Amino acid sequence: MAAVAANPPAATEDPEPQREAVPGLESQRRQIKNGESGQERPLRAGESWFLVEQHWYIQWEVYVQGGDQDSSTFPGCINNAKLFEDQVNWCLKKGLVEGEDYVLLPAAAWHCLVSWYGLEHGQPPIERKVVELRGIQKVEVYPVELLLVQHSDMGTPHTAQFSQTDSIDLVLRTAREQFLVSPQEETRLWVKNAQGSFERLCNTRVTVLDAALKSGQLVVMETRSKDGTWPSAQPHAVNRASKEDEDFQGQPGICGLTNLGNTCFMNSALQCLSNVPQLTEYFLKNRYLEELNFCNPLGMKGEIAEAYADLVKQAWSGHHRSIVPQVFKTKVGHFASQFLGYQQHDSQELLSFLLDGLHEDLNRVKKKEYVELCDAAGRPDQEVAQEAWQNHKRRNDSVIVDTFHGLFKSTLVCPDCGNVSVTFDPFCYLSVPLPVSHKRVMEVFFVSMDPRRKPEQHRLVVPKKGKISDLCVALAKHTGVSPERMMVADVFSHRFYKIYQLEESLSSILDRDDIFIYEVSGRSAICENSREDVVLPIYLRERTPARDYNNSYYGLMLFGHPLLVSVPRDRLSWDSLYHILLYRLSRYVTRPSSDDEDDGDEKADMEDKDSIPKPGHMAGGSSQDPGPEQAGPSSGVAGGSRAPVDNSPGPSHWPQRARRKHLFTLQTVNSNGTSDRSNFNEDTHAQPYIAIDWEPEMKKRYYNEVEAEGYVKHDCVGYVLKKAPVRLQECIELFTTMETLEKENPWYCPSCKQHQLATKKLDLWKLPETLIIHLKRFSYTKFSREKLDTLVEFPIRDLDFSEFVIKPQNESAPELYKYDLIAVSNHYGGLRDGHYTTFACNKDSGQWHYFDDSSVSPVTENQIESKAAYVLFYQRQDVARRLQPQPGLSDPPVPPACSSPPNSEFMDVN
């Protein structure tokens, strides 16, 4: 026995009847000293040896060496009284030394001495085990004495002795027996360390020595509460709420999860997993305790499995309306840093991490062997698949593998040599693509050359992988304006962020961009060398007092929408440009009356000589700098690439003196809308930009801001591109369709000895008990990210996979390929902001419920299918029947979606 009771029963021997069969003294000496059962035999781990008081043993040696059985040296009964502290508890004295205070005898020799001489009345035998510590065999004279207490009664310790080779599980069983804990109750142990804090004894399979337990340490046994919580995990602030929850009795499993701050993704994944019947039963019935793997280097030391088990037990206790998954969230963040903090994440990504973590924490394979992956090499599929599955199970064997893992066949064909590679790989879930539309809806504003027409908002359907020219062609159908007379620009913060070329890809335009398409003169779109018109980008600026103490200079702030204006080359002068712009702005700029004219016309003849330079000519005459100038606060955004529309000298050669007119002045600027000359020196042939500068009073008097911002909606804006719903079976077909590998992910052909863009095809070979289907709604490209809100029609029951499984099928058991829906993880919203919820079917009641964080409400089956469905959980019908209790005599009505009518004739697909 490894555990030694504090008060062992007294063992008494009656010496008189035994002494009649006492052998001769020499025979006694040889039997006790020598031989296989004698004192000199080697120690063997696990054997029992006994302590005998040294003085009695010496007396016995003298007696047997004298050779006279009637001698006065007869030792009498074995008396170990000198070895005990007292004769009540019979505790061994501390500091006893072998050879001085006692001798050690093997069990056979001890029993012989007791049969010959007897044991002092009332004394217990002092039995000790031989243990192996660090390769050395020794008799453990002093076992480890532990003080066992209950968490609910820390003041009443019970002393128990354990060998250093005893397991912690024996300590736990001893505590349960001592405190009369029923077999149904779950318990765990804590130990008080030298610093006074408590540590969990998680791994009950290690020894007392490995756990570093010392004599006198306090070991606390904690019993799980009825509501599934551990008393030590409950803060004092929620004790009252916990008592109220204990009084509450609801349907097990109908329990919400509190949102800790953007943790709806975690709550959704947990609710789905919690409603997988066989996995939940595995935790509720404590089968996981026997399979916790604390030494797996790929695992989380059992902590993820224990944290998830705590959540399941609380949710299915029936004593909670909702629970706070704070401990679980902390554990996940500890082992997966991407989930630290309170950012929004993907429920499928957390689900993938959780399934992998649970698998490694519960892996029955304690030491993974090396397994070499083998190609088919022409062998039959059945043989290769069986070998692949056996190899997988040699390294991975857990409840997660039993429940969620399947097998698919991967076929790769080299395009050069035709080499075919066939492998069988396990999967935990299917990530199926959605049929993607090749069309895209884009909203643009069309700005006509006719100043009387307001900008028009258009909704255009264009090819998703099209070019800017396709956008112009689509707009031409609505406006009647030729695509050659259009220029496309991205407007941001009152300036041109980018002016696009016709051959650029539409993928560079994001849905949130403000795209303006300007009508320009057809003569300006032929080629640069033969254009008769120049297209000038025009900005609007207002002169405002600078934030300076003495207001000694002014700043310029951009406002309104910029323009692209066609200007004939023969009218490239400031005066002509002024009148052209005045005409283009005439819808929202009022012309001054004759009474408002000043003496500007008197200077007209002189100022007209300051013309905008024509192509190939330098501007003549002297110019004066208009004085200090600074950009407005919104001018810091750098412009995109610009489309040069003229080969005339750059703005650095332009006359810098802008003529003062009645309403506004004109100024050459860079693409940011500022007059920073340092930018011009980089490229003297850069696109000329013109700014219309307004004085505040003139702008207030002649510029109608309301009219300037006005626009009309074309009839096409009311059109909605209808997305036809797709069937789940179509997504699975797309998953199994042959595809060519991308350049970023080539395959190394062992025959060609080089990487190839091979063709790849996936086929389903073996399906799991619970099939997780991930709908790939999120699309990421170099330029864009989008969510596909296509409605996927999925069956609630009888999803048939027989047409997708290529393994030879058992026709007598069709339920092996039919699945019923048990849970759905939903995602509402877009990429940057969204919300996750869950539909799940309760395994006990068969009723569907909607889980929205801490809120839970019943729903009907016709509410489950929606565009928000993201991850689907299906259970195989034969598994559902196996888990169902036996029905009564009468057949039940139509079964709920999460279960099927029981049938004793089922066959597992494995």
Side-chain angles (χ1 to χ4, degrees):
M1 292 291 290
V4 180
N7 297 293
T12 59
E13 306 285 348
D14 185 4
E16 296 302 326
Q18 300 296 334
R19 291 179 64 183
E20 295 178 0
V22 174
L25 298 183
E26 180 61 22
S27 176
Q28 287 184 41
R29 189 188 65 80
R30 288 196 306 270
Q31 202 167 337
I32 299 301
K33 289 280 189 181
N34 307 316
E36 178 63 24
S37 61
Q39 185 182 11
E40 297 178 0
R41 63 165 292 171
L43 298 176
R44 297 185 180 92
E47 287 184 340
S48 292
W49 284 59
F50 291 79
L51 275 70
V52 177
E53 199 271 330
Q54 177 79 9
H55 292 95
W56 185 93
Y57 188 76
I58 293 175
Q59 183 70 23
W60 172 79
E61 284 184 321
V62 172
Y63 172 64
V64 295
Q65 288 174 359
D68 184 5
Q69 292 187 354
D70 297 326
S71 171
S72 61
T73 58
F74 178 73
C77 293
I78 301 173
N79 188 352
N80 290 329
K82 294 182 179 180
L83 301 180
F84 295 109
E85 289 277 5
D86 57 65
Q87 298 186 10
V88 178
N89 296 319
W90 301 103
C91 292
L92 210 60
K93 287 182 179 179
K94 304 298 182 184
L96 298 178
V97 179
E98 183 181 4
E100 295 181 7
D101 302 302
Y102 65 87
V103 295
L104 289 170
L105 296 178
W110 164 261
H111 291 307
C112 288
L113 287 179
V114 171
S115 66
W116 300 334
Y117 299 96
L119 182 62
E120 189 70 28
H121 179 74
Q123 285 187 11
I126 307 175
E127 180 183 1
R128 294 295 185 264
K129 290 286 186 182
V130 178
V131 297
E132 181 177 351
L133 300 177
R134 299 177 178 86
I136 301 175
Q137 313 281 347
K138 61 176 289 186
V139 177
E140 190 177 32
V141 176
Y142 290 100
V144 178
E145 267 190 10
L146 299 177
L147 303 177
L148 306 180
V149 297
Q150 293 187 86
H151 184 269
S152 58
D153 184 14
M154 301 281 283
T156 311
H158 168 75
T159 303
Q161 294 181 340
F162 300 93
S163 167
Q164 294 186 75
T165 59
D166 286 341
S167 67
I168 300 299
D169 182 63
L170 179 60
V171 179
L172 179 60
R173 284 189 277 114
T174 303
R176 290 175 66 96
E177 292 173 5
Q178 173 64 30
F179 300 121
L180 304 176
V181 177
S182 67
Q184 293 77 26
E185 293 184 282
E186 186 178 350
T187 54
R188 62 182 184 181
L189 295 178
W190 298 79
V191 61
K192 189 175 183 179
N193 58 28
Q195 289 74 35
S197 58
F198 289 88
E199 298 176 0
R200 273 279 315 280
L201 293 174
C202 300
N203 190 355
T204 60
R205 291 188 286 273
V206 300
T207 64
V208 171
L209 176 65
D210 293 333
L213 297 185
K214 306 296 182 183
S215 289
Q217 274 193 292
L218 188 69
V219 176
V220 182
M221 186 189 71
E222 183 182 19
T223 305
R224 191 187 289 273
S225 305
K226 292 181 180 179
D227 64 354
T229 61
W230 293 104
S232 62
Q234 295 299 312
H236 296 292
V238 297
N239 280 343
R240 182 178 301 177
S242 300
K243 292 179 181 178
E244 292 176 359
D245 280 344
E246 283 191 8
D247 297 334
F248 170 76
Q249 186 62 52
Q251 172 70 43
I254 311 304
C255 176
L257 296 172
T258 301
N259 192 323
L260 305 174
N262 283 329
T263 57
C264 57
F265 72 96
M266 180 183 76
N267 294 346
S268 179
L270 288 173
Q271 293 290 11
C272 287
L273 213 55
S274 173
N275 282 278
V276 176
Q278 60 269 49
L279 184 64
T280 296
E281 286 296 318
Y282 171 84
F283 283 99
L284 291 180
K285 294 181 178 178
N286 291 334
R287 293 200 292 268
Y288 76 99
L289 293 174
E290 299 296 324
E291 298 181 348
L292 283 170
N293 192 334
F294 297 99
C295 55
N296 186 353
L298 300 178
M300 287 79 174
K301 301 178 182 179
E303 293 184 34
I304 288 292
E306 288 190 324
Y308 178 74
D310 287 347
L311 276 182
V312 169
K313 288 176 180 291
Q314 293 177 50
W316 288 86
S317 67
H319 291 287
H320 297 282
R321 294 177 176 86
S322 67
I323 55 180
V324 181
Q326 182 64 62
V327 174
F328 181 84
K329 169 74 171 61
T330 303
K331 293 290 184 185
V332 169
H334 175 71
F335 291 106
S337 59
Q338 66 268 32
F339 297 114
L340 277 173
Y342 296 93
Q343 299 296 318
Q344 182 66 278
H345 293 279
D346 191 317
S347 67
Q348 189 272 332
E349 290 179 3
L350 178 84
L351 185 66
S352 176
F353 162 78
L354 182 54
L355 288 173
D356 184 63
L358 289 176
H359 159 64
E360 297 296 354
D361 273 1
L362 300 168
N363 199 343
R364 302 175 187 116
V365 179
K366 305 306 178 187
K367 187 176 181 181
K368 295 190 177 186
E369 57 181 305
Y370 172 75
V371 176
E372 185 175 356
L373 300 178
C374 300
D375 197 80
R379 293 180 293 164
D381 284 352
Q382 193 87 16
E383 177 185 340
V384 181
Q386 184 176 0
E387 177 187 74
W389 185 251
Q390 288 175 351
N391 288 340
H392 179 58
K393 292 278 284 187
R394 283 162 64 185
R395 292 174 55 85
N396 304 279
D397 185 16
S398 69
V399 65
I400 302 300
V401 175
D402 299 341
T403 307
F404 298 102
H405 283 208
L407 201 66
F408 59 65
K409 176 185 177 183
S410 175
T411 306
L412 288 162
V413 180
C414 178
D416 286 354
C417 67
N419 178 45
V420 180
S421 171
V422 176
T423 57
F424 287 82
D425 304 300
F427 66 85
C428 189
Y429 52 84
L430 297 180
S431 287
V432 299
L434 273 62
V436 179
S437 171
H438 298 292
K439 298 292 184 180
R440 175 185 178 185
V441 177
M442 297 183 65
E443 290 189 357
V444 301
F445 289 91
F446 174 67
V447 182
S448 171
M449 289 180 65
D450 185 352
R452 296 168 298 179
R453 294 179 57 185
K454 292 183 178 181
E456 289 181 342
Q457 184 183 18
H458 290 258
R459 182 171 288 173
L460 306 175
V461 180
V462 294
K464 185 169 287 188
K465 295 184 179 180
K467 299 179 179 179
I468 297 296
S469 57
D470 296 315
L471 186 63
C472 296
V473 170
L475 181 60
K477 296 177 182 178
H478 293 182
T479 63
V481 177
S482 171
E484 288 77 17
R485 298 179 59 191
M486 296 180 184
M487 292 189 70
V488 181
D490 181 357
V491 175
F492 176 72
S493 190
H494 313 294
R495 60 173 63 85
F496 291 116
Y497 184 75
K498 183 174 183 180
I499 299 176
Y500 292 95
Q501 300 288 348
L502 293 177
E503 294 304 313
E504 290 188 69
S505 173
L506 287 175
S507 61
S508 60
I509 298 179
L510 306 181
D511 290 338
R512 66 174 182 269
D513 292 342
D514 292 325
I515 302 301
F516 283 72
I517 300 181
Y518 297 87
E519 180 186 5
V520 295
S521 171
R523 296 175 297 175
S524 63
I526 302 173
C527 64
E528 291 186 6
N529 295 329
S530 61
R531 284 177 183 164
E532 299 181 16
D533 288 358
V534 176
V535 177
L536 296 177
I538 306 298
Y539 290 158
L540 299 174
R541 303 191 300 182
E542 179 181 4
R543 193 178 300 275
T544 57
R547 295 179 179 177
D548 189 86
Y549 289 110
N550 55 12
N551 291 325
S552 59
Y553 62 91
Y554 293 87
L556 289 163
M557 182 179 294
L558 289 166
F559 71 94
H561 298 300
L563 294 171
L564 289 176
V565 177
S566 298
V567 180
R569 287 186 181 275
D570 56 3
R571 298 185 63 186
L572 278 178
S573 66
W574 292 114
D575 186 61
S576 298
L577 182 57
Y578 172 82
H579 289 288
I580 291 173
L581 294 179
L582 194 61
Y583 170 72
R584 284 298 301 269
L585 303 177
S586 61
R587 182 171 56 86
Y588 45 90
V589 173
T590 306
R591 285 179 179 270
S593 63
S594 57
D595 297 337
D596 297 329
E597 294 289 344
D598 58 15
D599 61 349
D601 290 337
E602 297 176 3
K603 303 176 184 178
D605 293 338
M606 181 184 66
E607 292 187 355
D608 281 344
K609 296 177 183 178
D610 292 340
S611 61
I612 298 176
K614 296 182 174 63
H617 295 82
M618 297 296 290
S622 62
S623 62
Q624 297 180 3
D625 195 289
E629 180 180 12
Q630 70 178 37
S634 62
S635 64
V637 180
S641 59
R642 298 184 294 271
V645 297
D646 187 23
N647 59 359
S648 61
S652 60
H653 303 293
W654 285 35
Q656 300 303 322
R657 176 59 178 169
R659 181 186 177 190
R660 171 65 188 269
K661 285 293 183 180
H662 300 155
L663 302 184
F664 49 78
T665 59
L666 301 178
Q667 174 71 40
T668 57
V669 294
N670 60 19
S671 60
N672 285 338
T674 66
S675 299
D676 186 0
R677 298 298 190 273
S678 62
N679 291 343
F680 294 146
N681 295 333
E682 299 174 3
D683 184 6
T684 57
H685 294 279
Q687 169 73 53
Y689 285 70
I690 305 296
I692 299 176
D693 293 342
W694 291 83
E695 294 292 340
E697 287 299 322
M698 300 295 285
K699 176 174 176 286
K700 183 177 180 182
R701 184 174 180 182
Y702 297 107
Y703 187 89
N704 188 335
E705 291 192 23
V706 176
E707 183 64 27
E709 295 293 328
Y711 68 94
V712 295
K713 292 185 178 182
H714 190 269
D715 293 340
C716 64
V717 176
Y719 300 158
V720 177
L721 183 63
K722 293 185 178 179
K723 296 181 180 179
V726 299
R727 297 168 58 246
L728 178 60
Q729 288 84 341
E730 295 178 51
C731 302
I732 300 171
E733 286 177 4
L734 203 57
F735 175 78
T736 57
T737 301
M738 184 179 295
E739 62 178 355
T740 302
L741 297 179
E742 298 177 351
K743 292 181 180 179
E744 295 80 11
N745 187 29
W747 169 65
Y748 182 79
C749 177
S751 179
C752 298
K753 305 298 182 184
Q754 60 183 353
H755 289 88
Q756 299 284 1
L757 299 182
T759 59
K760 181 178 181 180
K761 189 178 190 307
L762 296 177
D763 292 293
L764 299 176
W765 180 267
K766 174 185 178 296
L767 296 178
E769 293 183 353
T770 301
L771 179 62
I772 302 175
I773 301 177
H774 165 226
L775 303 178
K776 297 172 72 173
R777 290 195 177 276
F778 299 106
S779 172
Y780 301 94
T781 65
K782 183 178 180 180
F783 296 103
S784 64
R785 302 169 62 197
E786 64 174 333
K787 179 190 174 184
L788 305 176
D789 59 353
T790 307
L791 175 63
V792 178
E793 297 175 339
F794 50 88
I796 304 297
R797 56 176 60 85
D798 292 330
L799 174 60
D800 193 352
F801 272 88
S802 58
E803 60 178 303
F804 301 110
V805 178
I806 64 171
K807 179 182 179 180
Q809 300 181 13
N810 184 354
E811 296 181 359
S812 63
E815 68 271 14
L816 295 180
Y817 310 99
K818 289 187 176 181
Y819 285 78
D820 295 333
L821 188 71
I822 56 173
V824 181
S825 175
N826 304 301
H827 178 267
Y828 300 93
L831 289 168
R832 291 177 178 79
D833 52 351
H835 184 59
Y836 288 91
T837 64
T838 300
F839 288 114
C841 181
N842 186 274
K843 68 180 181 67
D844 297 331
S845 67
Q847 170 68 46
W848 281 90
H849 287 81
Y850 181 64
F851 297 84
D852 185 358
D853 289 334
S854 57
S855 173
V856 185
S857 56
V859 293
T860 58
E861 290 184 4
N862 58 10
Q863 296 176 264
I864 297 171
E865 187 179 278
S866 72
K867 293 181 179 181
Y870 182 45
V871 183
L872 310 176
F873 284 67
Y874 278 94
Q875 187 177 58
R876 210 170 61 211
Q877 288 185 353
D878 68 301
V879 177
R881 294 173 183 175
R882 186 177 71 212
L883 296 174
Q884 282 292 307
Q886 293 295 325
L889 297 177
S890 60
D891 292 333
V894 178
C898 64
S899 61
S900 300
N903 186 349
S904 59
E905 298 179 359
F906 68 87
M907 181 182 297
D908 191 272
V909 76
N910 297 338

